[in-house]
Each structure stands twice: as C-alpha cells, then as structure tokens.
C-alpha cells in the first residue's frame, strides 16, 4: 500500500503547478503619466477591454502605474495602442521588464519571501527624483560607470517635453544593478540625490 501513496500525490500536483505556469504567462505593462486621481479600479476597467486583467496598480504620488494581463494576447492588444487616454489623461503604455514572471517564480522556489525586491535578478533600474531638466545622456553618463548600458531614458511629459522626474537604465547584464543598489544612498545627479530601485 505504500506504493499507492506516492502515486496519489502527483494527481494533486497539476493544480498546484498550474499556478506558476499561469503566472509566467502573465504580462506586466508600465503606464506612464497616469493622473494622480485615477484609481486602480479605473485602470483595471479601462484595460479589461483588451482582455483579462490580473492586477492593476497606480502609484499616485509618482504619476505612473502598472497593469498585469493574464495573457500575452491581451497585453499585445494593449501595446498596439502605445498612447491611451484614462480619465482624460494621456498615458504611455510600455511593456515592463519581461523577466518578472520567471524572477518571481525563482524567488518562490528559493523560499525567499522576505524582501521580494532584493531577490529579483534584473538588468534594469528605476531612477526617481531626477532634476527637472535632466536629459537622457545625463543618466547614461552617470550610470555607465557601473557597466555597459543598453538603454537609458528619462520619462518626459508629452505635452511640455519636460522631464517627469524619473527614468530607467538598462544594463547588458544584472551584475551592474547589484553594484548600483549597493550605492543606493549616494547616487547624485547634478548634486541632487536620486533614488534607485530594481525594475522588473
């Protein structure tokens, strides 16, 4: 009878393994220029026309948000309109770093629930609190001391062309991100301290 028990366990597994499987199929999109008064529910409702929405969040004090679709098809449909209007505000729609699904799964496998952000390996950093007139090459020049930069962009207001005070830097591998995070408290651009976070 001891042989039957192990045989019974795999029968339970498909339901459990479907969890990470569906999670990795999910696609997270970055939303730039969200109206600070827009609710997460309004974002969810707006994007649900493209397909099933798993999650929606608005960082009200930062003016951006994220929406996570349950399918690649729904995300692609949303990405086909890179600029959309939510609550009368023009919103930039971009794919967030695509490694989130795998990184999150790896974090679970490692049992590292504590400090989820620190456990994710990514080659991209979010840079906040930038000087108002900070150009792309300013953050590129600053962060290339840490490694080879693939992309560096300061998010700008579509109407005025002015910096929205944050941007993203992507390296060619995750190692420079670890070095950037080690220097978290000392990053300054034009004498102004800037906040860095891993971006996934």
């Amino acid at each position: 009878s001891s042989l039957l028990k192990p045989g019974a366990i795999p029968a339970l597994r498909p339901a459990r393994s479907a969890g990470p499987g569906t999670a990795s199929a999910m696609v997270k999109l970055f939303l730039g220029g969200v109206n600070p008064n827009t609710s997460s529910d309004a974002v969810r409702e707006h994007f649900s026309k493209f397909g099933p929405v798993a999650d929606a969040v608005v960082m009200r004090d930062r003016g951006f948000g994220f929406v996570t679709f349950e399918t690649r098809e729904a995300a692609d449909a949303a990405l086909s309109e890179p600029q959309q209007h939510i609550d009368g505000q023009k919103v930039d729609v971009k794919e967030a770093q695509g490694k989130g699904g795998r990184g999150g799964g790896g974090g679970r496998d490692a049992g590292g629930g504590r400090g989820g952000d620190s456990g994710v390996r990514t080659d991209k950093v979010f840079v906040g609190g930038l000087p108002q007139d900070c150009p792309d090459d300013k953050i590129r020049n600053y962060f290339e001391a840490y490694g080879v930069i693939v992309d560096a962009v300061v998010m700008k207001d579509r109407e005025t062309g002015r910096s929205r005070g944050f941007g993203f830097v992507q390296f060619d591998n995750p190692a420079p991100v670890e070095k950037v995070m080690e220097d978290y408290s000392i990053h300054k651009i034009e004498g102004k301290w800037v906040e860095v976070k891993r971006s996934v």
Side-chain angles (χ1 to χ4, degrees):
S1 63
S2 61
L3 291 174
L4 292 174
K5 284 179 184 172
I9 292 169
L12 299 174
R13 276 193 186 141
R16 297 186 65 168
S17 62
T22 48
S24 62
M26 291 186 187
V27 184
K28 189 175 190 179
L29 304 186
F30 169 84
L31 312 175
V34 179
N35 187 318
N37 297 318
T38 297
S39 67
S40 298
D41 286 341
V43 170
R44 179 189 291 269
E45 192 174 320
H46 172 86
F47 284 99
S48 62
K49 68 185 178 184
F50 296 108
V53 174
D55 190 33
V57 61
V58 175
M59 316 298 276
R60 294 190 177 201
D61 55 335
R62 300 284 181 86
F64 66 91
F66 296 95
V67 62
T68 305
F69 287 100
E70 291 180 12
T71 66
R72 177 80 244 178
E73 291 76 17
D76 286 342
L79 286 166
S80 70
E81 296 181 36
Q83 286 193 330
Q84 302 186 29
H85 286 84
I86 304 176
D87 285 352
Q89 181 96 349
K90 195 183 287 181
V91 175
D92 294 322
V93 181
K94 297 182 177 182
E95 186 161 354
Q97 188 68 15
K99 296 170 187 166
R102 269 187 322 192
R108 279 176 59 171
D109 293 344
R114 187 169 54 84
D117 175 62
S118 60
V120 177
R121 294 279 288 175
T122 175
D123 56 9
K124 193 172 185 182
V125 289
F126 165 88
V127 187
L130 292 170
Q132 196 62 48
D133 56 352
C134 182
D136 294 354
D137 59 0
K138 182 79 73 172
I139 63 170
R140 177 184 288 273
N141 291 344
Y142 176 83
F143 285 102
E144 67 185 1
Y146 290 91
V148 177
I149 290 177
V150 175
D151 191 31
V153 61
V154 175
M155 305 308 286
K156 296 181 178 63
D157 187 289
R158 291 278 172 183
E159 305 296 324
T160 65
R162 296 189 68 181
S163 163
R164 302 236 317 280
F166 68 91
F168 296 92
V169 176
Q170 184 172 7
F171 294 96
D172 66 346
N173 72 88
V177 175
E178 303 306 314
K179 289 189 275 185
V180 168
M181 295 308 299
E182 284 172 16
D183 291 345
Y184 175 85
S185 62
I186 61 171
H187 293 299
K188 284 187 177 181
I189 293 179
E190 292 183 0
K192 187 177 188 293
W193 180 74
V194 295
E195 182 181 17
V196 293
K197 293 181 181 178
R198 289 176 177 83
S199 176
V200 292

